[in-house]
């Protein structure tokens, strides 16, 4: 007898982290909601993840060897596509080094069905690998309350907080605009772009049901090292500046006013002021001191806005 439970498609991008991949897949096997299928998208030319999948021997876990190699951004982005062969009802991405609690899937489905939305963002704690500890706070705590946010409100999270976190987003097949932008971009800019791509109400869940691993030293492959650190930094900051200025222009005036007065989000006023200042939007009284004026001018005049953000 076929199951009547909704099917969840999980996509797991991976690259040469077998022990962490196994841990992530074990999190899936421990879920209270068991109707899921997982695509492990291996970007390793040596197919290093295949052995892990074979050892686990779970028919719900499908191995995909990227040919040609997709590299960091494209491999992540492919995980946000709606098109799939399984007729999935719900989706999320579980990176190989991240984790989820056993009720993550059930809670995601419940949120979407009970609140009449097509996408939610679920809170994550931070795994400080070098310190061998988890944070007591969630990464959404300093930005959001637990409620439905309109897209114009949600976009303002990029002024000093966090919007879409790749590992915390959970969405249904009915999402109005998929979060795959299908183009190259600067690493670390993808979550900014995805935040801007949210065009419908989104529910923020402050329950800490996932774990984001802080291990930048392990995730620096294929970041465009040929351009040099300074060039990458200038282009990244210039692109973020462009995004923030674009968001602000599109924000209704009444919402701008609320945000400037400390409303809409939990972001501290000093963080809002700093983000606005870096974007050359000087509307808050007592603007922060320009200790980094030279850096700000370098970003403004030397940084190059990446084409991936010019359509926002």
């Amino acid at each position: 007898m076929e199951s009547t439970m909704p099917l969840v498609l999980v996509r797991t991008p991976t690259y040469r982290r077998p022990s962490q991949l196994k841990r992530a897949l074990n999190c899936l096997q421990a879920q209270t909601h068991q109707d899921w299928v997982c695509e492990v998208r291996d970007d390793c030319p040596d197919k290093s993840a295949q052995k892990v999948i074979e050892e686990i021997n779970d028919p719900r876990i499908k191995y995909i060897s990227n040919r040609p190699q997709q590299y960091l951004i494209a491999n992540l982005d492919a995980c946000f596509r709606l098109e799939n062969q399984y007729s999935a009802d719900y989706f999320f991405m579980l990176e190989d080094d991240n984790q989820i609690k056993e009720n993550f899937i059930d809670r995601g489905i419940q949120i979407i069905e009970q609140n009449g939305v097509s996408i939610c963002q679920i809170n994550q704690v931070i795994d400080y690998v070098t310190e061998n500890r988890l944070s007591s706070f969630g990464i959404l705590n300093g930005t959001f309350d637990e409620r439905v946010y309109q897209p114009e409100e949600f976009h303002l999270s990029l002024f000093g907080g966090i919007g879409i976190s790749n590992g915390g987003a959970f969405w249904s097949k009915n999402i109005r605009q998929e979060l795959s932008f299908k183009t190259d971009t600067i690493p670390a800019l993808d979550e900014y772009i995805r935040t801007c791509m949210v065009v419908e109400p989104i529910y923020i869940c402050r329950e800490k049901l996932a774990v984001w691993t802080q291990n930048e030293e392990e995730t620096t492959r294929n970041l465009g090292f040929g351009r040099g650190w300074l060039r990458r930094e200038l282009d990244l900051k210039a692109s973020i500046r462009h995004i923030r200025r674009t968001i602000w222009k599109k924000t209704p005036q009444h919402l701008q006013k609320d945000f400037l007065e400390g409303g809409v989000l939990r972001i501290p006023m000093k963080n809002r002021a700093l983000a606005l200042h870096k974007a050359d939007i000087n509307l808050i009284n007592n603007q922060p001191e320009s200790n980094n004026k030279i850096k700000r001018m370098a970003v403004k005049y030397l940084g190059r806005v990446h084409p991936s953000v010019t359509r926002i």
Side-chain angles (χ1 to χ4, degrees):
M1 182 175 178
E2 293 186 3
S3 172
T4 59
M5 298 294 290
L7 179 65
V8 180
L9 174 56
V10 189
R11 291 185 173 120
T12 298
T14 188
Y15 181 77
R16 293 181 177 171
R17 290 195 282 218
S19 61
Q20 291 167 303
L21 173 62
K22 183 177 180 180
R23 182 183 65 181
L25 296 177
N26 287 342
C27 287
L28 279 179
Q29 292 180 305
Q31 289 296 296
T32 52
H33 183 97
Q34 285 287 301
D35 285 343
W36 51 262
V37 60
C38 177
E39 292 181 344
V40 176
R41 308 178 73 89
D42 188 10
D43 213 41
C44 174
D46 299 329
K47 301 183 179 181
S48 58
Q50 189 169 23
K51 183 178 179 181
V52 175
I53 310 309
E54 292 173 352
E55 289 176 351
I56 292 177
N57 192 29
D58 188 323
R60 296 171 296 180
I61 302 174
K62 316 297 182 182
Y63 177 76
I64 297 174
S65 177
N66 290 340
R67 290 292 184 272
Q69 191 176 10
Q70 293 187 1
Y71 302 107
L72 181 64
I73 291 299
N75 203 22
L76 289 173
D77 194 62
C79 296
F80 286 91
R81 294 177 187 169
L82 283 176
E83 182 181 359
N84 69 96
Q85 61 180 303
Y86 315 102
S87 300
D89 301 293
Y90 295 98
F91 305 78
F92 72 96
M93 178 178 74
L94 177 61
E95 294 182 72
D96 57 359
D97 59 335
N98 289 350
Q99 303 170 70
I100 52 174
K101 293 190 177 180
E102 65 277 358
N103 61 332
F104 180 92
I105 293 179
D106 266 332
R107 185 70 179 112
I109 295 172
Q110 181 186 55
I111 287 170
I112 287 177
E113 292 183 348
Q114 292 185 353
N115 292 278
V117 295
S118 298
I119 180 173
C120 65
Q121 180 77 33
I122 299 175
N123 212 357
Q124 301 163 282
V125 296
I126 302 173
D127 181 4
Y128 296 105
V129 174
T130 58
E131 301 174 22
N132 194 30
R133 68 179 180 90
L134 298 178
S135 67
S136 59
F137 61 89
I139 64 174
L140 302 180
N141 289 7
T143 307
F144 298 104
D145 292 311
E146 173 126 358
R147 67 175 177 88
V148 174
Y149 281 81
Q150 296 303 312
E152 297 83 2
E153 297 177 301
F154 184 67
H155 296 162
L156 288 172
S157 64
L158 295 183
F159 287 93
I162 185 173
I164 287 292
S165 174
N166 288 337
F170 190 95
W171 64 98
S172 86
K173 63 183 179 182
N174 299 317
I175 192 170
R176 295 180 194 173
Q177 177 173 286
E178 69 175 6
L179 301 181
S180 171
F181 44 78
K182 300 181 179 69
T183 188
D184 187 30
T185 192
I186 303 171
L189 201 57
D190 55 323
E191 290 176 321
Y192 283 85
I193 296 173
R194 269 186 259 282
T195 297
C196 296
M197 292 176 70
V198 174
V199 295
E200 61 192 290
I202 178 171
Y203 188 93
I204 301 299
C205 174
R206 283 169 55 95
E207 295 175 65
K208 299 186 285 289
L209 301 180
V211 180
W212 173 73
T213 301
Q214 186 183 69
N215 59 350
E216 289 88 347
E217 68 281 0
E218 294 184 19
T219 55
T220 55
R221 69 182 183 91
N222 310 123
L223 301 189
F225 290 118
R227 293 180 299 162
W229 176 86
L230 181 59
R231 170 48 57 194
R232 296 197 310 274
E233 184 73 6
L234 287 172
D235 292 353
L236 174 62
K237 299 301 184 191
S239 299
I240 293 173
R241 176 182 180 274
H242 176 87
I243 289 174
R244 286 171 171 166
R245 290 178 64 83
T246 302
I247 289 172
W248 191 256
K249 289 177 183 178
K250 292 182 178 181
T251 301
Q253 288 189 353
H254 74 276
L255 202 56
Q256 289 182 355
K257 182 175 183 294
D258 288 349
F259 185 76
L260 292 171
E261 293 175 351
V264 187
L265 297 162
R266 286 174 167 257
I267 299 172
M269 287 297 291
K270 65 178 182 180
N271 294 10
R272 303 177 192 222
L274 182 59
L276 287 161
H277 186 56
K278 287 181 176 179
D280 292 313
I281 304 170
N282 299 317
L283 300 174
I284 292 182
N285 293 330
N286 301 318
Q287 284 289 324
E289 294 293 330
S290 298
N291 294 331
N292 295 315
K293 185 176 181 180
I294 294 176
K295 181 178 179 180
R296 189 164 61 89
M297 291 299 100
V299 169
K300 182 176 181 180
Y301 294 109
L302 299 179
R304 298 179 299 205
V305 176
H306 195 273
S308 61
V309 307
T310 58
R311 296 174 294 175
I312 293 174

